[in-house]
Each structure stands twice: as C-alpha cells, then as structure tokens.
Amino acid sequence: MTLPRIVVVGGGAGGLELVTRLGRKFGKRKRAEIVLVDRNSTHIWKPLLHEVATGALDSGLDEISYQGHARANGYRFQLGTLCDLDREARTLTLAPVLDDDGEEVLPSRTLAYDELVMAVGSVSNDFGTPGVSEHCHFLDSPQQAEAFRKAMLNAFLRYNTPQESPSRMVVGIVGAGATGVELAAELHGASQMLNNYGFTTLDSEHLEVHLIEAAPKVLPVLPDRISQAVHAELERLGVGVHVGTRVTQVEPHAIVTADGERIETDLSVWAAGIKAPAFLSTLGLSTEPNHRLKVTETLQSVDDEHIFAFGDCASCPQRDGSTVPPRAQAAHQQATRLYRNLAARLEGRSLKPFVFRDRGSLISLAHFDAIGSLMRGASARSLFVEGHLAKLFYASLYRMHQRAIHGALKTGLMVVVDGLNRFIKPRLKLH
C-alpha cells in the first residue's frame, strides 16, 4: 500500500517544527511519508541572524543539518528549490542544484505529493528604492548574515591603520523593526568586544550607528510603551535614531533621505519591510501584492484544499477581519495547528480554524538590556518587563524552539554545552 505523502517546502522555524512533529508521529510509524524540501542543507533560527551578522553567535555551532535531523526524526530531506507546481497531477518540480562554480550537482527532479505545505518565510522588501539591492546588506539568510559579518570585520580592520584611526566608522540601518533595532544594539556590543580582544583600536565611542525608520516611531507594530523604552535605550547607547524619515536612494557609501539629508556610511543594511518570495506568485495560486499566499482560516489555499501555507508567506484571515501578523510566534502557533489539521486529514476528521493568540513581544538589545511585554491570557492585558527578567524570557524563546525540534533532554544538554562554551571560546567569532 502506498503511503500518503506530505511535502513541506521551507525548513525555517515553523517548517522544521512541523516536519519534526509529523515525522515522529506518522513517519516513524510508517503511517505517512514526510518530506522536507529546502534550498539550504542546514537550519538556523532566523531571529538569531542579527547575532550571526555581528559574530555574537557562531552559526557553525548552532546550525542543524537537515539530513541528520531527518534521519533521527522520521522524515526525508530533499535539497532543492521549488520552481514549478502542477496542481492537477499533484507534483512539484525542483530546480537543478549547482555548486559554487555553476556545475550541476543534482538534476531537476519531480516530487509527487498528496498534501503540500508552503513554509518559505519572507524576504526583505526594498519597495523598489534605487540602489538598495546593489549597495545594501540584507539579513534574510545565514549566508547574507555571514557576508555582513565579514564586511564588518574588514571595515574595523581598515580603521586600524594610522591614517584612519582618528575617524569614526559609520553603519546605516534602514528599518527600525525588530531586526534593525537588535542589530543596532549588537553592533555596539560587538565593537566593545572587538576592542577588548585587540582586533581593532576602535571602540563603541568611535562607532556611529544610524537607525532610519519611515514610521513615526521605532518598532511601529509594537505598543508605544515598548517603542519608547527601546528608543530611549538606543539613544543611551549612542545610536542615532531617525524616525519619520523615508529613504529615497542608497549610494555606494551613503543613504539619502526624502528631506535631502545624506548620511555617509561605511556599511549600509536594509531591514525595512518584508514580502514573501516572488516565485509564489508564479505558481497559479491566489496571492496578495506582496506575494503572500491567500489561505483560509484552516491554512488551506483558497484555490486548492490540498495545498497549505503558513508563517510569513501566508495571508491568513481572522474572524475580526484582520490577518495574522508575520511574527515568529504566529508561525510557531500555526505549525501546531497545521500539525493537528494534517493529522485530522490523514485520519478523516474535519479541520479546525487557526486563531492567533498574541503572547506579547520581546526585544533584545545585545547584552545591554531586553524590553518587552507578556500577555496575561485572554484578558489581553500586558505585563511590561525589562532587564534580567526580560533577558530570561527572550532566551527562553530559542530554547522553546530547540525543545520543539530536539526534545527536552537534548535541549537541556545544549544549555549546558552553551554555558561551557561561554568560558572556553571567545565571546565573539573573530575569524
């Protein structure tokens, strides 16, 4: 008897949590075949990419091999990029895999499915701003974060020369959402540690960070109390915060704003706005202008009941007329609901709608501070937290993700190993 096959495209936080649960429940018991497709061979939790970008996190230590994880958790992994979809035949086509020299490693392949899940996440939206794609760094993937880290280290090294030592190194970050805010703080922490290790003569007093946001406040989607507290802390660190400022152009070493201001930069980062990958709009499924797939409350495509989507790449309606926000906690909650809906599908039961429950928001400002709010159950009253308590809650978010994909025992061991590494290894990746 042929087993039903569930194919999940995208191994981000939500996608990996979903295939892990499906693999343990159905794959290991030979009740269904679970397949994960991703263009990368390893996974790292996307909210940590700003730490990878500054070297505060060594991606080589924290990344997970999909192939090894698949073997341990009852699913199969296919390396590849989705390039075509045949809904009638229920097949998807993966593009050829090429090496760094452009040589073909794996040919194009066709993969059949009974149920298909799209979990490809999001990418930065440059809104067509001239010069952004050519002159800005992005933090959408580990590769982009590593590219920024190398450029950052090279910039610090350049200022070690006697001719450059009196100057200030300038970094411009466009977008004061969570990524931009956390990166701004991490850069100040990184400059301090690089100076302590003797990597550079510059310290945080010689680092000039500009955080530019078109909205009237930083963290525009979060409550005012969090936004104001984060704004004040960033200014205390020395970050130049420009709110209500729209960027009209990015040049090789400058960011130009709508009011004519020209901010000279050594490094420019674009972290303003997100959109789903553009290829989603080429698959014959209904999408929004930002390429997010339109789904029902049960996370099924409005066009095809055998195709599901969740996370940042899906536009899921709620009963109050809003859509689910593109946040990590939403993807985590949707992965749980989708796991239950797919289980119901395999067992012939009805599917239930997804209801987003806001658990609050937490922002980490490197080792300096953490600020956020926690929701008090159904009353929706929030509890404001900051300092060590907020740092503890923020760290627990990653541990919850690790627990979902590794289990409690292995996660506990990882906590111990991470604690030891803080004493054994440098606090920053210096190579």
Side-chain angles (χ1 to χ4, degrees):
M1 183 180 71
T2 303
L3 295 176
R5 177 183 288 172
I6 300 174
V7 178
V8 179
V9 180
L16 187 57
E17 289 183 18
L18 178 61
V19 294
T20 300
R21 297 186 69 173
L22 289 172
R24 291 170 181 169
K25 176 74 173 182
F26 299 103
K28 285 188 173 183
R29 299 176 184 180
K30 306 300 181 185
R31 295 174 56 188
E33 184 182 3
I34 314 300
V35 182
L36 173 66
V37 175
D38 198 277
R39 66 178 61 191
N40 298 308
S41 58
T42 59
H43 161 87
I44 192 164
W45 199 44
K46 191 172 181 178
L48 293 178
L49 288 181
H50 67 281
E51 295 187 29
V52 176
T54 58
L57 180 76
D58 187 343
S59 60
L61 296 177
D62 279 69
E63 63 188 358
I64 299 164
S65 166
Y66 289 125
Q67 202 74 58
H69 190 265
R71 181 176 177 82
N73 290 279
Y75 66 91
R76 290 197 302 116
F77 172 66
Q78 288 280 333
L79 180 67
T81 301
L82 174 63
C83 63
D84 195 19
L85 176 65
D86 187 334
R87 288 165 48 199
E88 185 175 348
R90 291 196 205 171
T91 61
L92 53 88
T93 302
L94 303 181
V97 177
L98 308 178
D99 63 17
D100 293 339
D101 298 321
E103 296 292 328
E104 185 175 278
V105 177
L106 288 174
S108 177
R109 291 147 289 154
T110 300
L111 191 61
Y113 67 86
D114 292 289
E115 310 292 341
L116 175 64
V117 180
M118 303 299 296
V120 293
S122 61
V123 295
S124 295
N125 189 351
D126 63 11
F127 305 103
T129 307
V132 172
S133 60
E134 297 89 352
H135 308 305
C136 280
H137 289 273
F138 297 87
L139 300 182
D140 296 325
S141 68
Q143 294 83 359
Q144 290 177 340
E146 279 291 335
F148 174 83
R149 188 184 66 82
K150 292 175 182 177
M152 179 194 73
L153 292 179
N154 288 338
F156 274 112
L157 283 174
R158 279 196 293 272
Y159 280 93
N160 266 339
T161 63
Q163 296 84 357
E164 298 287 351
S165 56
S167 304
R168 296 171 68 84
M169 178 175 153
V170 183
V171 181
I173 303 171
V174 182
T179 298
V181 164
E182 292 179 336
L183 177 63
E186 285 287 350
L187 283 168
H188 275 274
S191 67
Q192 289 181 0
M193 281 187 272
L194 288 170
N195 180 266
N196 290 339
Y197 284 119
F199 186 90
T200 179
T201 56
L202 293 183
D203 56 23
S204 58
E205 293 182 357
H206 296 93
L207 174 67
E208 188 175 321
V209 178
H210 293 270
L211 185 62
I212 307 164
E213 172 57 51
K217 65 176 186 176
V218 301
L219 302 170
V221 300
L222 297 188
D224 287 344
R225 187 175 183 185
I226 297 177
S227 175
Q228 292 166 5
V230 168
H231 191 140
E233 182 64 18
L234 288 172
E235 290 188 332
R236 189 188 69 80
L237 291 176
V239 176
V241 182
H242 309 254
V243 294
T245 304
R246 185 171 60 88
V247 172
T248 57
Q249 184 177 353
V250 178
E251 298 176 357
H253 292 288
I255 295 172
V256 182
T257 68
D259 57 8
E261 184 181 6
R262 179 184 171 89
I263 302 173
E264 302 287 342
T265 63
D266 294 280
L267 294 170
S268 298
V269 182
W270 189 270
I274 62 170
K275 62 182 179 180
F279 81 89
L280 292 176
S281 294
T282 69
L283 301 178
L285 299 169
S286 297
T287 59
E288 294 185 336
N290 61 3
H291 309 301
R292 296 176 79 191
L293 291 167
K294 294 182 180 180
V295 299
T296 65
E297 289 184 336
T298 56
L299 301 174
Q300 294 168 287
S301 166
V302 297
D303 306 300
D304 193 325
E305 66 174 356
H306 297 285
I307 297 178
F308 298 77
F310 75 106
D312 290 0
C313 73
S315 177
C316 178
Q318 296 290 271
R319 293 176 181 176
D320 62 0
S322 66
T323 57
V324 177
R327 294 164 64 182
Q329 62 169 305
H332 173 75
Q333 292 177 32
Q334 287 178 323
T336 299
R337 168 45 55 201
L338 191 48
Y339 162 74
R340 292 170 181 166
N341 277 354
L342 288 169
R345 191 66 172 255
L346 293 174
E347 296 166 359
R349 295 182 283 110
S350 60
L351 279 59
K352 294 184 179 180
F354 171 73
V355 178
F356 173 63
R357 293 178 172 84
D358 192 345
R359 306 299 187 191
S361 303
L362 291 165
I363 299 296
S364 172
L365 301 177
H367 63 273
F368 303 106
D369 201 0
I371 299 169
S373 64
L374 304 177
M375 304 304 289
R376 294 178 175 177
S379 67
R381 293 178 59 191
S382 63
L383 174 66
F384 184 80
V385 292
E386 60 181 332
H388 293 296
L389 181 60
K391 287 182 182 181
L392 177 64
F393 281 122
Y394 186 88
S396 72
L397 298 177
Y398 183 42
R399 298 307 180 189
M400 287 171 60
H401 173 62
Q402 288 181 312
R403 186 176 184 275
I405 59 178
H406 293 305
L409 177 60
K410 192 170 182 180
T411 299
L413 293 174
M414 288 178 172
V415 172
V416 174
V417 171
D418 289 347
L420 292 174
N421 279 332
R422 291 175 66 87
F423 293 97
I424 297 172
K425 297 180 178 295
R427 296 290 299 275
L428 209 67
K429 187 177 180 181
L430 303 172
H431 56 280

